[in-house]
Amino acid sequence: MNVNKNQSPIVIGIDHGYGNIKTASSCFRTSVKAYDTEPTFTSNMLVYNGRYYIIGEGHKEFIPEKQNDDDYYILTLAAVARELYARNLESASVYLAAGLPLTWVSEQKDEFKAYLLREPHVDFVFKKRTFHVDFVGAEILPQGFAAVAGQLGEFRGVNMICDIGNGTMNLMYINDHRPIVEKMFTEKYGTHQCVLNIREQLMRRFGSVPDDSVIESVLRYGTADIAEKYLMVIRSVAIEYVEGILRKLREHEYNPDLMKLYVVGGGGCLIKNFGQYDPNRVVIKDDICATAKGYEFLTKLKMKQNGGKL
């Protein structure tokens, strides 16, 4: 067994998205299917407390409080395993760096932290590899800000950050490198709302709906291998969704003539593929793992400021 021999814990950032779980080096669907006996297909199987979990098939239903069931805990174990696997480790002390939507952090962070740290020592199997993890702490951070925290030096003048996830859209202002706490907003207007509308329109028009992976391919890349009539409807709904995003931004005083817009999160591809914008005034961050990396950056920065302690 390979063991982390460093005295300091490994900081692992996890972006617990409603559509995908992201770490600094991996991304997989937010989905858990539990079984009492070992299932037939085990390529992404996690075994914990005598139960079997298949990770990453389908999508989890949106819930505003992630600690309401065990799914996000199981997904956390899978995310940690992926990061330890990348380091060729099977046993380590881990300090989690996670987050919540901007305006939910203050209200939910203590409960979410307790949820993630409910067991200090955990043994489990993921992809037929056994892991032992000692959870020594957790930092709960604001989602949208974390994705750009390492680039604060870029934010001269007035800037709006728009973090578009699967379940929520988070907005905040950064003025002359300084985040404005009084101007942070969370809207339940994530990309899942667009997908639901696409399904409804396709069913109404044609009586059939392609697999979600096909719809996601069109949203991400602008096209897919399906009939043109389906593509036209998907693109039309996506254009309307992007117009809705811009409308909500204006409701929060977005003015492209007076500020720059930085778009992060998986929804940025929709603005790129289906929106009209000035690339000199709108910056779209393509790195879907940026938030998880930001969580690690902020946590390690705090550790450094505290003399190596958290």
Side-chain angles (χ1 to χ4, degrees), residues 183-210:
K183 302 192 75 172
M184 298 192 307
F185 313 95
T186 297
E187 298 270 1
K188 188 182 174 183
Y189 199 67
T191 57
H192 186 58
Q193 302 297 314
C194 180
V195 173
L196 289 177
N197 195 13
I198 288 171
R199 289 180 190 160
E200 180 181 350
Q201 295 301 321
L202 289 174
M203 183 60 69
R204 184 178 300 173
R205 292 279 298 277
F206 309 119
S208 60
V209 179

Side-chain angles (χ1 to χ4, degrees), residues 209-228:
V209 179
D211 187 81
D212 277 0
S213 62
V214 175
I215 296 175
E216 291 171 6
S217 179
V218 179
L219 298 181
R220 185 173 299 176
Y221 305 111
T223 190
D225 187 15
I226 55 176
E228 183 64 27

Side-chain angles (χ1 to χ4, degrees), residues 39-105:
T40 303
F41 299 103
T42 61
S43 60
N44 285 299
M45 185 176 72
L46 186 146
V47 185
Y48 166 71
N49 276 356
R51 299 201 77 194
Y52 303 86
Y53 301 89
I54 299 299
I55 307 297
E57 295 183 6
H59 274 307
K60 180 174 172 57
E61 181 182 356
F62 174 85
I63 54 172
E65 295 185 351
K66 297 174 180 177
Q67 59 272 16
N68 279 359
D69 61 30
D70 288 338
D71 287 359
Y72 277 99
Y73 186 77
I74 299 300
L75 291 164
T76 297
L77 297 182
V80 168
R82 286 174 179 268
E83 285 298 302
L84 294 183
Y85 188 89
R87 295 169 171 83
N88 196 30
L89 293 173
E90 293 156 342
S91 179
S93 294
V94 171
Y95 195 100
L96 293 172
L100 290 166
L102 288 170
T103 57
W104 299 357
V105 174

